[in-house]
Amino acid sequence: MTIVVLVTGANSGIGLVLCERLLSHNTDGLQLCLACRNMGRAQAARSALLTSHPTAQVALLQMDTSIISSVISAAQEVKHRYNRLDYIYLNAGIMPNPQFDVRAFFKGVFSSDIITMFATGKGILTQKDSVTPDGLQEVFATNLFGHFILIRELEPLLCHLDRTSQLIWTSSSNANRSVFNLEDIQHQRGTQPYSSSKYATDLLSLALNTHYNKQGLYSSVICPGFVMTNLTYGILPSFPAFLWTLLMPVFWLIRVFTNTFTLTPYNGAEALFWLFKQKPESLDPRAKYHSLTSGLGNSYTQPRTVWQGIFIKMKFKWYCKIINVVSFLSFVPLCRWILIWKHQRLCMRNYCN
């Protein structure tokens, strides 16, 4: 049986490694679609995949998740090419203009929070966000909103009662509840839009399961751990390459004490690949699936429940509000933002009922 898989952000990092692992697992029965913003890099990624898997079916799709028209055009193209979608890996993401707090870093090095600081970047990373041509905050649009519009546009290919489809989001250990504000879901007033968008991703995945499971569509989130990718290197762009090389032994040492230091894209993609081999209906919608690596370098996947009992009940309205705001935005012209926000409470009440 042919399996159709779409991967956003597939031209580098864990997205590209995931594609390689999927093809190694099932070359003949897989139709792989790489959805990328930069087509030059996408073509290079496709060539690399075909070099190792000459008979593979690898297609390219131009899509920039930060631009609404690009997402809608890409969705139309997908519906034209395929009559089904089995998996969408919602992996594209940005952390623009990262600012590294040196003072907080050295303070953390000599504290009991050193492992948490290295693993999550908590307290030492801020970003300077920008606004897209559509009037959206760029991080919110790229990491969350564009992906949601893609899902809504592709519902005819994803929702079927006689089979299941799966959404798999790349979240982060940097997803921090303390920086997320339901009244400012785009994080316009904050300095950590990346962390906010990833926490919102975790919330949205849970809400999507509530909305779509009866239609055969399931959603899961993964955490790749601390991975050395272009996004990681971009945190300290002025660092000479040899300093990163010198830091690697330190990272290897830290991994003896914490299994979240996956370090390589291959290890970071472990949970993404593991979910491909599972039955979506058997997965826990409350869990975040973590890519982990032992001190000896062995990678594995472990679910960690994020939402439990009373917290789900307390945050149910949060989930409804998020999915409603985003749903409402996707169907109303962007020039009518003010009307959307005035109708938030009404939308939430209608959706929860």
Side-chain angles (χ1 to χ4, degrees), residues 6 8 35 61 63 65 71-72 74-75 78 88 90 145-155 158:
L6 187 150
T8 70
L61 177 71
M63 182 177 70
T65 54
V71 175
I72 294 176
V78 170
I88 300 184
L90 305 154
F145 186 63
H147 282 133
F148 181 80
I149 289 182
L150 180 67
I151 295 166
R152 294 294 298 229
E153 291 293 317
L154 294 178
E155 280 184 1
L158 292 167

Side-chain angles (χ1 to χ4, degrees), residues 169-188:
W169 299 79
T170 300
S171 182
S172 172
S173 56
N174 192 239
N176 194 337
R177 175 185 173 186
S178 65
V179 303
F180 177 78
N181 182 353
L182 191 62
E183 302 304 322
D184 181 24
I185 62 172
Q186 294 194 57
H187 206 71
Q188 293 172 299

